[in-house]
Amino acid sequence: MPVIHPTLRAGSAQFEENLRAYQATRDGLREAQARSVQGGEEKARALHHSRGKLMARERIARLIDPATPFLEIGQLAGHELYDDPVPSAAIVTGIGIIRGRACVIMANDATVKGGTYYPMTVKKQVRAQAVARENALPCVYLVDSGGAFLPMQEDLFPDEQHFGRIFRNIAEMSALGLPQIAAVMGSCTAGGAYIPAMCDETVIVKQTGTIFLGGPQLVQAATGEIVDAQTLGGADVHTRLSGVADHFAEDDTHALSIVRDIIARPGVRTYAPPPAPPRPPLYDPTELPGVVNANPKDPVRAHEILARLLDASEFVPYRERYGPTIVCGTGAIGGYPVGVLINDGVLFSESSQKAANFIELCSQTGLPLLFLHNISGFMVGQEYEAGGIAKDGAKMVNAVSCARVPKFSVIIGGSYGAGNFAMCGRAFGPRLMAMWPNARTSVMGGEQAATVLSLVRQEQLAKKGQAMTAQEIEAFKQPTRDHYEFHGRPVYAASRLWVDAVVDPVDTRDWLTLGLAMAAASPREETRFGTFRM
Ligand code: COA
């Protein structure tokens, strides 16, 4: 198999400068990650523990098989999004292996505002369910939530992708034969009660678990009846009288072991091992931060990345000499074969056509696709418009949209405008999408946007016979540059779930391996492309 060799090596001045710039970006992110994983305030965590309850992340760690990784989705969701801190949007979601089966796990964090649902909590749970459905994985709900965050009900209750969608998804996935299992490890009030009630099978913990449509306060207000929470909807009531829950657990650990036994029943698809043994790249992946350009406007060369990302640095290129601004070819990550598309410059007509063809080929053979974004966009200008760049770009977007093989997207540099679409941005349904800490994404670069807006302003003024000085133009442009820089950062994107994770370059192989493993056993779908404009 052909091997890719890098040219930029550790120790060179350029490498060291890149590394320093990368570390500076990374440091800013570390604080956001630390705040996201700690859960609620110390007081709330202490109270939670004093009730004999484990934290959401502790529960997940005990639920999954020992020494197996947890592929977290949306760790930074909710970061600096609301007036109050809402770490990880008050719910921890991701994919873990339970008794050898890959499962999507969703665990409310009751230390963050009683585990209530902010708009982002709903978005995150719906996203996790979408991952489960697409990859045909069982769902485990570790429920500990006060239901809707009432002050923001209008932003989370009434719309199509709001609260109700979570329950509809449970019913639909159950109908598809994907097990839906709940463990009630705290409150499950009002709408929240429908999670355990709608799941296929439900476990409830003694003393701490409760399920009711209306809590004691509401019951008293509505009917005058005075009743405590356990008598109203505790584990004894629901496993002995109501049948709302199926299994009585003594504590959190017991509940998690019952869930593990349920998942291990025959009929749940086991995790698919790689078809070939995983082999590390010949060139050290820890060097990746040193090959990311210190200046984010300078693209990263494709071969520098591939040599440090693919198994044994092996890569079989497709049409290497044609449309070289996109590099396409096949390789493997963690032993799972993959078709790779990585930018190496602006997209031209030839590169777009080549990429569309490559996507067709991978779809025919069922090969998963990996898009590594490093793209400022499609080539503009009279010559290219006359050459039909719009219809050639559309071919690539068509191919990306319709390809029914598992798609994965990682923004390793810039991802701008239609380049983002063609490289399988969020709207194009990648099964997972990540950004590197140095990466940026927006409709166009901040400098371009500032220039466009300043030209529009100058034209308006010219009609009135006025003009701007060079200083005025500069002062006009700067806020737009700042705005784009702020909103294009990975932490901003991740807090809004535009990407599932911010992943370090060095962890990217592991992250992709888990993603490919998750997708490997999902049923193969037939691809049917839309009309390609010739
Ligand atoms: N909406 C908004 N905030 C809520 C909330 C809700 N539904 N439920 C709880 N909170 C807030 C509390 O005001 C408190 O905020 P603070 O830390 O700023 O004071 C925080 O969440 C923790 O609540 P607290 O009652 O102190 O914690 P707890 O662990 O003892 O109890 C609940 C948690 C969820 C069991 C309890 O607060 C409760 O029963 N809430 C009402 C649930 C409800 O009726 N929901 C209906 C949804 S449709």
Side-chain angles (χ1 to χ4, degrees), residues 355-369 398-407 524-529:
N357 260 182
F358 181 68
I359 293 166
E360 278 186 288
L361 290 175
C362 292
S363 303
Q364 274 178 344
T365 50
L367 196 62
L369 289 167
N398 185 339
V400 169
S401 306
C402 296
R404 290 274 84 86
V405 291
K407 298 175 279 189
R524 198 169 149 184
E525 289 176 62
E526 215 49 53
T527 294
R528 194 166 161 214
F529 292 107

Side-chain angles (χ1 to χ4, degrees), residues 51 113-114 116 146-151 187 189-190:
R51 291 169 168 166
K113 288 280 178 191
T116 51
F149 181 72
L150 293 172
S187 18
T189 308

Side-chain angles (χ1 to χ4, degrees), residues 72-135:
E72 191 165 343
I73 297 169
Q75 183 180 87
L76 291 168
H79 177 71
E80 294 184 346
L81 202 55
Y82 303 110
D83 293 342
D84 289 315
V86 188
S88 291
I91 190 166
V92 183
T93 62
I95 299 138
I97 311 285
I98 304 174
R99 300 282 287 265
R101 281 94 173 147
C103 299
V104 166
I105 303 166
M106 293 155 257
N108 301 111
D109 185 347
T111 67
V112 181
K113 288 280 178 191
T116 51
Y117 280 72
Y118 282 69
M120 186 49 69
T121 321
V122 175
K123 184 174 178 181
K124 189 168 164 180
Q125 185 147 17
V126 169
R127 168 74 192 135
Q129 290 180 317
V131 171
R133 187 188 291 226
E134 235 182 350
N135 296 286

Side-chain angles (χ1 to χ4, degrees), residues 41 43-44 47-48 51 53 84 110-118 144-153 156-157 163 186-192 210 212-218:
E41 297 299 319
K43 206 170 118 211
L47 180 66
H48 188 80
R51 291 169 168 166
K53 301 206 285 185
D84 289 315
T111 67
V112 181
K113 288 280 178 191
T116 51
Y117 280 72
Y118 282 69
D144 194 348
S145 164
F149 181 72
L150 293 172
M152 296 186 80
Q153 67 82 25
L156 65 91
F157 173 69
F163 213 27
S187 18
C188 257
T189 308
T210 52
F212 30 63
L213 298 186
Q217 304 89 338
L218 185 73

